Amino acid sequence: MEGLRNVSSHCSISDMDDYDLSRLLDKPRLNIKRERSFDERSLSELSIGLARAGLDNLDSSYSPGGRSGFDTPVSSTRNSFEPHPMVAEAWDALRRSLVFFRNQPVGTIAAYDHASEEVLNYDQVFVRDFVPSALAFLMNGEPEIVKNFLLKTLQLQGWEKRIDRFKLGEGAMPASFKVLHDPIRKTDTIHADFGESAIGRVAPVDSGFWWIILLRAYTKSTGDLSLAETTDCQKGIKLILTLCLSEGFDTFPTLLCADGCSMIDRRMGIYGYPIEIQALFFMALRCACALLKPDTEGKEFIDRISKRLHALSYHMRGYFWLDFQQLNDIYRYKTEEYSHTAVNKFNVIPDSIPDWVFDFMPTRGGYFIGNVSPARMDFRWFALGNCIAILSSLATPEQSIAIMDLIEARWEELVGEMPLKIVYPAIDSHEWRIVTGCDPKNTRWSYHNGGSWPVLLWMLTAACIKTGRPQIARKTIELAESRLLKDSWPEYYDGKLGRYIGKQARKYQTWSISGYLVAKMMLEDPSHLGMISLEEDKQMKPVIRRSSSWTC
Ligand code: GLC
């Protein structure tokens, strides 16, 4: 504990969290004081005893051990206005998806869709899918299940993992796990999938990052530092870091990944340096920095992390950023430049810029593009990466504003009738054949190829609150409310505007349900944002570049 105080300033939790929440609010301020009194006390100052005292200030949002799993949600009882009828339905559906291991809740299944002929692995607890469920439970003052999940997955990390004759890295976290109940022997066992059973044998690079981000959310929400400080958790963090900070032949600070490494877990041309992973990588590094105990080994990791964070933010903010000015510059690039004076560092051929991006780019606004590597810029918009860039402060404040400007300017394309398009635009015809390998599930404007995913609502809401645009969040939540319950909480919607329930979408998809609840609770009480958002790090100065959207 003592040690945490000594973490270099740009790594301490306190630094990340000193929001001026008041600027974000146009809602009842009732619950704000409570969290602020907690926020103002840096987590690094808390001893376990102090943490307990701090928790007393959290009044209704936290009642240690006191809530049964089937109570009325706290959030609806403390509402100063009538809760939407969907909220209670959503809580019921979320609780139906709970998975128990030896009578303890350890997660939520991906989908509770009895009508679907094929279960595949939707009856498993996915690490990424559980994140919005976890946030909903934390916001509702039920941290136990989150703690159980964190510990259970940590245990799974410790397993020896093999695919055929190949042994996976020690730090790898599973994509998902399943609890098998034996009714005769009355025993529960766990089967975990690290990619060895997954369709396409894809590596869940995002799992470890989500695990660290969730551990920080749990710590921040409960004030309970004791979990993160256990030897097991510290080891788990370090094992994940060892995997992603290891040295190789890389010339970039970004993390090299194979296709299918994230929420988009099929071939979709995201191999290379996908924004989805880079943003999560950045956020997980910042969270790890705040959670690590600065003993001798911890300090070494903290040092490596801060070096990587500096290089990563420089690289991302400069090379992945696209706005009108930048697009125009790339359009006029010279090629074949040699040496450090090169302007077109990655030798991008202007002819490779797709036509759509010229129309798509508004005069005001910008975004982080999908991928950057030699002679390759993937200009597609990816929602998760851009929202996480805002939440982690990978995006500078100006860039965050520009991303929100772009969403507003391209509302029809990115939100349409159902938030939120996972990728824009869809790929089609020859490109679809080459990029997806003719994947019939990923035809244009469906699933990962331009489908609309309700789960993304919580990330957009959080980004809206952080950038002071709650009215956008309200608008998107209303869109979701007009369809989600009626359509039985589909996994995704299809079509250019997201009007159709997805071709192979599961119903009662848990993260569609919990994503909605998290969005609602955050809008109702924006102080929840602190759980999942990191304040700008003043030491990571933005790259100075010419850019219209940065200056206006
Ligand atoms: C699909 C999604 C993936 C999700 C899983 C479980 O495979 O692509 O992101 O984790 O379903 O819902």
Side-chain angles (χ1 to χ4, degrees), residues 351-369:
D351 260 0
S352 70
I353 307 174
D355 287 342
W356 65 263
V357 79
F358 293 106
D359 298 329
F360 179 70
M361 183 58 77
T363 320
R364 272 172 71 102
Y367 64 105
F368 289 100
I369 62 170

Side-chain angles (χ1 to χ4, degrees), residues 201-219:
R201 303 289 180 265
V202 286
V205 178
D206 61 341
S207 285
F209 297 152
W210 279 124
W211 186 87
I212 292 175
I213 293 167
L214 192 55
L215 179 60
R216 185 231 167 224
Y218 170 88
T219 309

Side-chain angles (χ1 to χ4, degrees), residues 110 122 126 128-129 263 265 447-448 453 491 509 511:
Y122 282 89
F126 277 74
R128 70 175 74 88
D129 292 43
M263 172 184 181
D265 54 359
Y447 200 42
H448 301 139
W453 290 66
E491 181 186 14
Q509 180 79 20
W511 67 1

